[in-house]
Amino acid sequence: MARYFVRRKLVTMVIYMTLLTMGGHVRSQSNEKKIIDVILADYDKRVRPVSVDSTVTMVTLDLTLTHIIDMQNKKQVLNMLVYMTLVWEDELLHWYPPDYGNVDRIVIPASDIWIPDIRLWNRCCHSYYSIVNFIAA
């Protein structure tokens, strides 16, 4: 039996979770609730989601520049708007879709799952912004 793993993306500080399978796309609120109840029963978002502690969690970070707001050449300051995307696999969030009415995708609030501890450094203001702070707000 194949295992179905989660790929999650953090887009503009919001995580959308998509579970990939080969099954159909049948939706059922009761099946989705059962899945959430089962996969989050013993889930601890404070612990890195791996089955074996020595497993490396690869996190891909992409920044997309969408708008340059201001540029001050003399001060060497660039104000810009960017979208950040984080992608990683969570080994603990998986299920076998045929057991749940072939539901193969669900959305779980970011506040309920593990999120990589990544911080953005703002050199101009000598401060940093934690991704977790944006999601919890």
Side-chain angles (χ1 to χ4, degrees):
M1 176 182 349
R3 292 177 73 170
Y4 298 88
F5 293 102
V6 177
R7 296 182 133 265
R8 288 173 285 164
K9 288 187 176 183
L10 176 60
V11 180
T12 23
M13 307 309 170
V14 177
I15 293 185
Y16 295 99
M17 192 168 95
T18 303
L19 292 146
L20 305 172
T21 69
M22 299 299 288
H25 299 283
V26 177
R27 289 280 191 204
S28 170
Q29 187 173 10
S30 62
N31 281 324
E32 289 177 15
K33 182 173 179 356
K34 288 177 191 175
I35 292 168
I36 291 171
D37 290 345
V38 168
I39 64 176
L40 292 181
D42 295 323
Y43 191 89
D44 187 349
K45 66 182 181 180
R46 299 170 300 170
V47 179
R48 193 170 52 92
V50 292
S51 302
V52 179
D53 290 337
S54 61
T55 302
V56 175
T57 302
M58 295 295 296
V59 179
T60 303
L61 184 140
D62 290 319
L63 283 176
T64 304
L65 174 64
T66 60
H67 187 73
I68 294 177
I69 297 168
D70 184 33
M71 185 168 165
Q72 300 172 18
N73 288 335
K74 289 183 181 180
K75 294 182 181 180
Q76 295 183 346
V77 173
L78 175 66
N79 292 317
M80 59 188 158
L81 176 63
V82 297
Y83 289 101
M84 185 168 61
T85 303
L86 296 175
V87 180
W88 70 92
E89 283 191 23
D90 189 321
E91 294 180 12
L92 305 180
L93 298 178
H94 61 88
W95 70 88
Y96 186 61
D99 290 345
Y100 299 94
N102 288 326
V103 174
D104 62 351
R105 297 168 190 251
I106 61 172
V107 176
I108 297 177
S111 58
D112 293 344
I113 57 175
W114 176 84
I115 299 166
D117 187 16
I118 295 179
R119 296 165 192 237
L120 300 176
W121 174 255
N122 185 347
R123 184 174 176 178
C124 178
C125 300
H126 299 287
S127 62
Y128 69 88
Y129 304 96
S130 175
I131 304 285
V132 176
N133 293 342
F134 285 105
I135 293 170

